[in-house]
Every structure is written in structure tokens, then in C-alpha cells.
């Protein structure tokens, strides 16, 4: 995925609830998707299974925004990469 129109964000511990809060508080509504490091993506899948009794399918949607693994490995563990529709 082209990450020219993206930025890194620190939301604290990467959890489903923290991603929901970030999306709720985000003033900018042009968020296309959120990319996670492989380690954080695995943690989200485990959280879904253990806490919500849901199976994980990628892309996962939170508040209508796709949550996907960053296969380019440009997102460090513990951060999210916010991909927008508009270049910053």
C-alpha cells in the first residue's frame, strides 16, 4: 500500500478499545485505514478471540475503518500508521 498519504500515531497500548477511542476522537474524517505492525496485529487477533469471542478476518473494521497488517513493515511495534485519502 502506498503510504505517502499516511502518518504514524502513538495511541498507547495497541488494543481494540484504544483504536476505537482514537477513531472517535479523530477530527479528521478522511481516514482510509489503519495499518498495524505484525506483532500488534497478532495481539488484536488474540484480544478478539479471548475478550470478544470473535474470529479475526482481515481487514477488520472498527468504526467503519479497515484495520490491516502493514506488509511493508514501515510501522514500528506499538504505533499505528494512519492512512488517509488525502496526501498530507
Amino acid at each position: 500500500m502506498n503510504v505517502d498519504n499516511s502518518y504514524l500515531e502513538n495511541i498507547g497500548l495497541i488494543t481494540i478499545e484504544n483504536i476505537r477511542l482514537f477513531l472517535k476522537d479523530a477530527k479528521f474524517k478522511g481516514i482510509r485505514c489503519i495499518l498495524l505492525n505484525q506483532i500488534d496485529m497478532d495481539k488484536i487477533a488474540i484480544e478478539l478471540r479471548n475478550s470478544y469471542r470473535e474470529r479475526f478476518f482481515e481487514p477488520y473494521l472498527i468504526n467503519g475503518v479497515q484495520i490491516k497488517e502493514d506488509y511493508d513493515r514501515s510501522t514500528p511495534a506499538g504505533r499505528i500508521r494512519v492512512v488517509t485519502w488525502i496526501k498530507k
Side-chain angles (χ1 to χ4, degrees):
M1 173 172 286
N2 183 355
V3 292
D4 290 344
N5 53 338
S6 69
Y7 60 94
L8 288 173
E9 188 74 41
N10 186 356
I11 63 167
L13 187 63
I14 305 295
T15 64
I16 294 169
E17 186 61 28
N18 283 348
I19 293 172
R20 280 191 182 120
L21 290 173
F22 169 77
L23 291 170
K24 181 180 173 188
D25 293 340
K27 303 286 186 233
F28 182 66
K29 299 296 181 191
I31 297 175
R32 181 175 171 191
C33 70
I34 291 179
L35 300 177
L36 298 177
N37 179 285
Q38 178 185 4
I39 295 166
D40 293 325
M41 198 65 164
D42 290 345
K43 289 178 184 177
I44 292 293
I46 291 168
E47 180 183 359
L48 272 172
R49 186 182 68 217
N50 293 343
S51 299
Y52 299 94
R53 304 280 187 233
E54 291 182 28
R55 292 182 61 198
F56 178 78
F57 297 100
E58 189 178 340
Y60 184 72
L61 294 177
I62 297 179
N63 296 352
V65 175
Q66 292 183 358
I67 310 301
K68 299 171 27 174
E69 184 175 334
D70 180 5
Y71 293 107
D72 294 336
R73 303 192 188 281
S74 62
T75 305
R79 309 273 305 270
I80 63 172
R81 179 170 298 280
V82 179
V83 180
T84 63
W85 290 105
I86 301 169
K87 289 187 179 183
K88 288 194 100 175

